Structure formats: C-alpha cells, structure tokens
Amino acid sequence: MAPCAQTGSGRLSRGLLLLCALLGTGLCHVAAEADGFSQDARTSPPVAVFNWTAQFVEETYTNITQKCWEFFVDLMRNVTAPELCEWKVISRPYSLLQACLEDWADHLHYGYPNALAEQYIFQSHHRYFHNCTLEHQVYFDPPEDVLLAMIIAPICLIPFLVTLVIW
C-alpha cells in the first residue's frame, strides 16, 4: 500500500488525488483527523513507518507508472490526428503524464528521472509525436572534424599575427 503525500492543509495534491480517483484500488488513503483523542496540539498524529525494500518500491512504482500511462493513453484518445502536434491540445495530457511519473517517484523516494519514467516519455513521443516537425529550421553542431578546425585555426593564427605586429 502506497501512502499519499499531504500538503500543509491536509489535502492531497491535485495530481495525486486525480490518480487516486483513477486507480480506485485502495492504494491511497487520506489521513483522517482523530476525534475524541486528547492529543496535544503541538504533537503530530502517529505516523506508520514502512520498511519498504527496494524491490517492493520498484514493483509499486512499476504498477503505478503503468496506471499513469493508461490514463495518458485514455486522454490522448480524445485528440485527433491533426491536433497531435498542437501544444495547446496535448500539453495537459503530456503534463499530467510527466507529473504523475515524477510525483509518484518523489513520493516513493524512487528518484526522478529514472529509466522507467524515461521509457514512458520516449514511448509517448514515439507513439504520438513522431511526425511533429518544427516550423523553423533547427541548427545542429557541425561535425567534429570541422568544429576542431574552426577552433584550432584562430589559435594557430594568433602567434603569427603577434609576430607580424612585433616585426
């Protein structure tokens, strides 16, 4: 069972709450205020300590990321083919996927970015956005041999010019 992070106001963050609603598997529980317990206002309620092994955390994160991906695919069903390259249309599903992957990794102390999250991001680009091109030309670095010549030529030219000025 994965505990859900709480903000200072005692509410789940919007993204985690949305994921919890989608999962519906009882993975998330909101901590309820205990009425009737005479607890000092300066102390916090008891917190359960989990002894999670790395394998359990990885397995949990794998299952949750699969749910994140399924939610993303479901959102992308509403996007038509001509709209796939419009950021205004795809920014919400894409941002929700990224937030889901990142928030759960942070919540489980799994580390982000990680190989599994990158796999889902690459998969989304390969599946949905591979035909998107930029409107303006993208400039790339020149090949290494050309770049090396462009760096070394001025360096070699400086001593010659200094000698010429002194002469």
Side-chain angles (χ1 to χ4, degrees):
M1 169 165 51
C4 292
Q6 291 185 340
T7 61
S9 65
R11 295 183 183 171
L12 291 174
S13 67
R14 216 174 1 149
L16 292 177
L17 186 59
L18 176 64
L19 184 63
C20 290
L22 291 173
L23 290 175
T25 58
L27 286 176
C28 298
H29 299 283
V30 177
E33 294 292 326
D35 293 330
F37 292 123
S38 59
Q39 194 171 27
D40 190 6
R42 294 174 305 210
T43 62
S44 61
V47 178
V49 177
F50 295 101
N51 185 12
W52 292 8
T53 63
Q55 180 181 3
F56 179 74
V57 170
E58 186 171 347
E59 184 178 316
T60 302
Y61 186 68
T62 302
N63 292 335
I64 290 173
T65 55
Q66 180 62 35
K67 297 293 184 185
C68 293
W69 174 253
E70 290 169 3
F71 179 62
F72 173 74
V73 169
D74 188 50
L75 289 176
M76 291 302 288
R77 284 190 187 115
N78 299 328
V79 179
T80 62
E83 296 176 326
L84 282 177
C85 296
E86 293 182 32
W87 181 246
K88 292 178 184 176
V89 177
I90 60 143
S91 66
R92 181 175 171 264
Y94 188 81
S95 297
L96 286 174
L97 172 66
Q98 183 179 1
C100 181
L101 296 171
E102 185 174 354
D103 290 347
W104 278 104
D106 289 343
H107 182 69
L108 295 172
H109 304 290
Y110 189 66
Y112 187 87
N114 56 59
L116 189 57
E118 286 181 6
Q119 178 184 354
Y120 281 112
I121 296 294
F122 286 139
Q123 186 175 350
S124 71
H125 283 258
H126 179 71
R127 183 171 176 177
Y128 295 104
F129 315 123
H130 66 281
N131 286 331
C132 297
T133 58
L134 297 175
E135 294 177 6
H136 55 84
Q137 184 179 3
V138 178
Y139 298 105
F140 296 103
D141 288 337
E144 285 186 28
D145 54 345
V146 174
L147 185 63
L148 188 61
M150 291 173 68
I151 293 171
I152 291 177
I155 293 172
C156 293
L157 193 60
I158 290 172
F160 172 74
L161 293 175
V162 169
T163 306
L164 186 64
V165 168
I166 293 174
W167 180 57

